[in-house]
Amino acid sequence: MTPQEFETAWERWSPGFQAALRYGGDLWTLDDVRNEILEGSAQFWANDDGAMVTNFFYSRRIKALWIWLLTGKRKAFDELMPLAEMWGIEEGCTMFMGQGREGLKRRAIPHGYRPWNTLTLFVKDPAQGLMQ
């Protein structure tokens, strides 16, 4: 993808990424995501139906391709994921993973993805004080 193609696709799909970031708790800004892509620590995938951002998740046991953000039509996942998965294998990934709303989970299961755990993420603002 050329820089101009990236800019055009980013402009088109960034409102959807903004909505996804908001849904995920605003832990990153659009500028954060864009900078990660431009610095090469995240990957941007786009076609006429949608766009996706991936990056790597590491542990001592795995290197995973992480589906970070996805926006667009439902079929965008079906079209972009095989490309990202092939690239992930070339990069040494031993797992593909992501998180999202129920609709994405339903879309992913027929392609071999499975719910991984039932953990609940919980957060607290330190301004609320310490546990007593």
Side-chain angles (χ1 to χ4, degrees):
M1 178 178 292
T2 69
Q4 181 57 42
E5 289 170 331
F6 169 75
E7 293 300 333
T8 300
W10 181 257
E11 186 175 317
R12 178 178 181 188
W13 297 114
S14 62
F17 290 148
Q18 181 65 64
L21 291 167
R22 218 173 298 116
Y23 186 83
D26 284 319
L27 300 176
W28 295 274
T29 66
L30 269 179
D31 285 340
D32 295 334
V33 176
R34 190 175 192 289
N35 289 336
E36 296 244 354
I37 293 166
L38 294 175
E39 292 166 4
S41 57
Q43 304 76 43
F44 180 75
W45 311 83
N47 63 19
D48 291 338
D49 297 309
M52 178 171 69
V53 178
T54 59
N55 60 14
F56 295 119
F57 171 85
Y58 299 92
S59 79
R60 292 184 181 266
R61 298 178 52 212
I62 65 164
K63 177 180 181 181
L65 184 68
W66 178 264
I67 305 163
W68 185 9
L69 298 167
L70 179 66
T71 188
K73 296 178 184 174
R74 291 180 183 165
K75 69 179 189 173
F77 177 83
D78 298 338
E79 295 169 353
L80 295 172
M81 273 312 295
L83 301 173
E85 288 175 344
M86 285 187 292
W87 182 81
I89 290 169
E90 291 171 5
E91 294 295 314
C93 291
T94 57
M95 181 182 286
F96 307 125
M97 59 194 310
Q99 68 185 43
R101 297 180 293 201
E102 281 295 310
L104 179 58
K105 182 175 84 173
R106 286 192 304 272
R107 195 79 182 166
I109 287 173
H111 298 282
Y113 287 82
R114 60 182 166 69
W116 191 25
N117 62 42
T118 57
L119 297 176
T120 300
L121 178 65
F122 51 95
V123 298
K124 177 181 174 182
D125 183 333
Q128 293 176 311
L130 302 176
M131 289 178 59
Q132 304 273 333

